[in-house]
Amino acid sequence: MTDGWANSGLDLHLAIDPRRKTASLEDAVRAAIRDGRLPAGTRLPASRSLARDLGIARNSVAEAYSRLVAEGWLEARVGSGTSVADRSFLPVAEAAPQAERALRLDLRGGIPDVSGFPRTAWAAAVRTALAQAPGAALGYQDLRGAQRAREALAGYLARAMGVWASPDDLVIAPGFGGVLRLVALALVARGARRIAIEEYGHALHREILSDAGLQPVPLPVDGEGAVVDLLDDLDVDGALLTPAHQFPTGVALSAARRTAVVRWCERTGAIVIEDDYDGEFRFDRRAIGALQALAPQQVVYAGTASKALAPAIGLGWGVLPRELMVPVLEQRRLAGAATGAIAELALALFIETGGYDRTVRSSRLRYRARREHVDGVLRQRMPDARLTGMAAGLQSLLELPDGVDEVEVSARAAALGLRIEGLRSYRADAVGAPSAGRRSATFVSHRPAMVVGFGAPPESRFEESVAAMIAAIGAAR
Amino acid sequence: MTDGWANSGLDLHLAIDPRRKTASLEDAVRAAIRDGRLPAGTRLPASRSLARDLGIARNSVAEAYSRLVAEGWLEARVGSGTSVADRSFLPVAEAAPQAERALRLDLRGGIPDVSGFPRTAWAAAVRTALAQAPGAALGYQDLRGAQRAREALAGYLARAMGVWASPDDLVIAPGFGGVLRLVALALVARGARRIAIEEYGHALHREILSDAGLQPVPLPVDGEGAVVDLLDDLDVDGALLTPAHQFPTGVALSAARRTAVVRWCERTGAIVIEDDYDGEFRFDRRAIGALQALAPQQVVYAGTASKALAPAIGLGWGVLPRELMVPVLEQRRLAGAATGAIAELALALFIETGGYDRTVRSSRLRYRARREHVDGVLRQRMPDARLTGMAAGLQSLLELPDGVDEVEVSARAAALGLRIEGLRSYRADAVGAPSAGRRSATFVSHRPAMVVGFGAPPESRFEESVAAMIAAIGAAR
């Protein structure tokens, strides 16, 4: 690197990469203008003297200047040389609205650890995907997403999750929430009005349903998962379920209930949305396949790359019953947006070359190790608390010792710099008085418990977060 | 490459790259299973004999086998070796619904030429962006999009388009349609019910508005652009306009009308959505800046990377009046989806390093050359037809010779394998009888004209497409 410019009368240090002198001079000047080191009107050194100072060819400097003039960064006037262009129409940066102050430690559920995201491998997948893509793949295309990506995903979901998936029935959307929104709007367009949800879950999912025009009706959750036997009584047109690993209680839907829910939707024509948010992270070998495979024409299978890879990928997917594809794509068209084919094709390549499997495997090991750490600390330091639910996924439930209150633990934890939430904070609000002839489900009582996420903190802060949690529970006794 | 497997009793050709033997053996087996060359139950050669056949180390084969077993592609049973796993739950591929048969030649408007998309440079931007991104950038984040991307975009829009842009006021969404949808929903949430649109435009944009709950009310377009003087009479809460380059007539909004529309929205509190779909492609130097800069608190400036780079990027942006940011982000939250930060950060890097400007410049030259070609052919072969509108952007209007009908030209063109549309096909449908006290605008009559897009055909087919168009017009006389 060559440091320079000081000799030309400007007190600036421009880092010039000797292998790409012109481009890095351009970058350096742009950066200096952007961050205010080179205010409008500043006269730049003559290309000859700058070239001498930087030890690069005069032509390189002249080329950089002329490009920067063409782009509007610099102005060249006959007789007065080159100066920084007036950009006074740029508003002065104002203070951003105060962002929520981030606590330093974090054990919230549903948040993946992205520290293991294989950046280099993903970049290589993008490069190869772009090199292989036919020209048409970069233009406007199929609303379902790129064909090759749907093929790769269908193969993966069949192989790893037991989903009954054909590329034709698959739609790629920006994340699970995007799929949920599209399906909800499509159901409403077909006349649906009420949808069963699990008593515990993401508030955002309930809001998405409700904003789309579906009233969420809570279904109790017990040790066998959602109490689907009550579905007949709720007068609903569908259900949103997490059968593989209830969020956030961690319970799997029992075999009897799986059969019952399939019979219910086949009998009534209702649609079940199977949210398989962390299906990749079963620590044991996956014992049972997707619920969707039992009734592919009644169940939407929905998943996301946000948990297995990272939210920054921006992709999720739904495998749809045939009759839902057209109404879902109509909603997608009206949403005015498709996902970017470059990311889709990179995902296809990442799956085809085994990168997806490798990433999932290494994250799974990390989450399992973290669960075992929590388990070990509890046994040693707080034997009257325990982790419940399957030894799987992104989070577990920690049943609190007798008499300890969830809200109190959260408050004590916050004082120690730790974000952690109680089970009750995931509970659906009461949905208003049920209409005549409709009865609400009666709810099962749950012991007070904290939701312990294994993904939110980076590796370096996990043990400290767990220690803070134990201290918070101790202080709340 | 080593071809093999035949000697092991399996008639398969697996292409093994000698530099990455294990990985390419895995790829080859996966591909063979996927495309049916290796059906379920097929017994694989013992690792020793396959290693000998392929001339690679036995360990490499064993490693590949064990990875494929772990991924579920193969099964290993004690005493019976390794075989292809049963994937019978995979549905047999069914015939895809017959896609619309693509005509070979295409001169439709609004479609960018992606053949110049700098694939290598974009892949490099993704790689560098990923290498530089802090860990938090890969997780869940700001609903407006990545900070660095908003900074780069705000700088670019200020510099190149004269937009009054701060990163805080910018929201990144999946394409222009995505921005339009979010803004429309936010306006409806604030009580808006009717929005003025231009008489000619994209049917999809009218549908997005209408689906969001805003009734589109057409405004006539003449030689000075949209007749905004009529806005006061239309009882609308906002307007969607293409001031820089009316789509598809190609007219710029006159200075007097720019002033009038700004006064109107400042006086009434209405919101203007400025669709700058091809602002980058002014062939002359941009004479006037964005309308938005005249009234940043009343005008939404919306643009997209789909035209300047490629739809496959999947990103668009809106610069919003302050008071619209919160309602727009609430709509975005309820849409359950954010754009992928990896693409956003790559875009930031692409802008910062001048790649965006370079790509736009080269596309602009290509579109200009194509326009000049059409102009030249018309002068020579059909002097009573002419291109109108600014010499700019992705398409121009071709006024037909007297007595030639648009629909007839489209039909004759289709018979020659060319897609091309008449101006009338972009016209807003009548929007029903106006309510009492509201009057519809009276429309200016336009000469029959074809919309000639410069971006849809690849370079190799452009001249042939133009020749087909001339032939179609000749046949329709």
Side-chain angles (χ1 to χ4, degrees), chain B residues 86 157 316 343 357 397 412:
Chain B
D86 181 18
L157 296 175
D357 289 89
L397 217 53
R412 298 282 187 168

Side-chain angles (χ1 to χ4, degrees), chain A residues 97-103 106 108 419 421:
Chain A
Q98 188 67 26
E100 191 183 321
R101 196 175 59 88
L103 296 180
D106 197 344
R108 286 172 302 160
R419 303 175 87 155
E421 289 161 349

Side-chain angles (χ1 to χ4, degrees), chain B residues 52-352:
Chain B
R52 198 183 47 231
D53 282 2
L54 297 177
I56 65 181
R58 188 183 166 189
N59 269 356
S60 303
V61 176
E63 193 185 319
Y65 276 16
S66 76
R67 180 122 60 201
L68 292 165
V69 167
E71 290 176 12
W73 295 92
L74 303 180
E75 284 177 334
R77 290 219 184 83
V78 177
S80 65
T82 306
S83 55
V84 176
D86 181 18
R87 298 163 78 246
S88 58
F89 48 83
L90 261 177
V92 178
E94 297 174 42
Q98 188 68 27
E100 191 183 322
R101 197 176 58 87
L103 297 180
R104 213 172 59 85
L105 304 173
D106 198 344
L107 284 176
R108 287 172 301 160
I111 299 176
D113 173 22
V114 297
S115 64
F117 179 73
R119 298 171 183 228
T120 313
W122 183 263
V126 170
R127 190 182 62 234
T128 309
L130 274 171
Q132 293 178 353
L138 303 180
Y140 291 106
Q141 58 172 325
D142 197 315
L143 275 171
R144 292 173 298 185
Q147 170 78 17
R148 182 166 174 185
R150 287 184 285 113
E151 283 170 8
L153 270 169
Y156 171 77
L157 296 175
R159 164 167 67 76
M161 307 293 176
V163 174
W164 188 279
S166 141
D168 291 336
D169 299 327
L170 205 142
V171 62
I172 301 177
F176 170 78
V179 175
L180 183 62
R181 162 85 160 192
L182 292 175
V183 171
L185 289 169
L187 293 177
V188 168
R190 301 198 321 167
R193 290 295 169 261
R194 289 160 57 90
I195 186 166
I197 52 151
E198 294 166 336
E199 177 188 3
Y200 296 102
H202 279 294
L204 177 60
H205 296 173
R206 299 190 289 264
E207 287 180 80
I208 289 174
L209 293 169
S210 161
D211 183 68
L214 285 177
Q215 188 193 356
V217 183
L219 207 56
V221 171
D222 64 18
E224 292 185 63
V227 186
V228 296
D229 325 52
L230 297 169
L231 281 168
D232 267 324
D233 297 336
L234 293 181
D235 187 22
V236 291
D237 308 291
L240 168 62
L241 300 174
T242 51
H245 189 217
Q246 205 281 327
F247 182 85
T249 65
V251 175
L253 195 65
S254 69
R257 296 232 176 119
R258 284 167 65 91
T259 309
V261 74
V262 166
R263 288 212 183 119
W264 169 73
C265 60
E266 284 179 342
R267 192 174 63 241
T268 61
I271 294 289
V272 170
I273 304 171
E274 176 175 20
D275 172 6
D276 197 22
Y277 64 101
D278 69 354
E280 288 90 347
F281 297 127
R282 293 286 299 257
F283 301 155
D284 48 350
R285 238 189 174 313
R286 192 174 177 102
I288 41 171
L291 184 68
Q292 182 265 3
L294 303 178
Q297 296 314 315
Q298 300 297 138
V299 179
V300 172
Y301 174 89
T304 173
S306 298
K307 306 286 196 265
L309 300 180
I313 303 287
L315 298 178
W317 41 83
V319 180
L320 308 180
R322 282 282 150 90
E323 60 173 23
L324 272 187
M325 183 55 85
V326 170
V328 161
L329 292 185
E330 175 60 5
Q331 292 305 326
R332 160 143 240 186
R333 202 176 67 84
L334 292 170
T339 40
I342 294 176
E344 295 173 1
L345 295 172
L347 179 65
L349 212 84
F350 207 61
I351 292 173
E352 290 165 11

Side-chain angles (χ1 to χ4, degrees), chain B residues 370-383 385 387 398 462-463 466-471:
Chain B
R370 290 186 177 185
R371 187 188 205 276
E372 284 166 1
H373 173 77
V374 175
D375 213 32
V377 172
L378 286 178
R379 275 177 217 282
Q380 201 182 343
R381 301 198 31 211
M382 195 165 276
L387 289 183
L398 187 159
F462 185 72
E463 299 195 3
V466 173
M469 174 184 76
I470 299 285

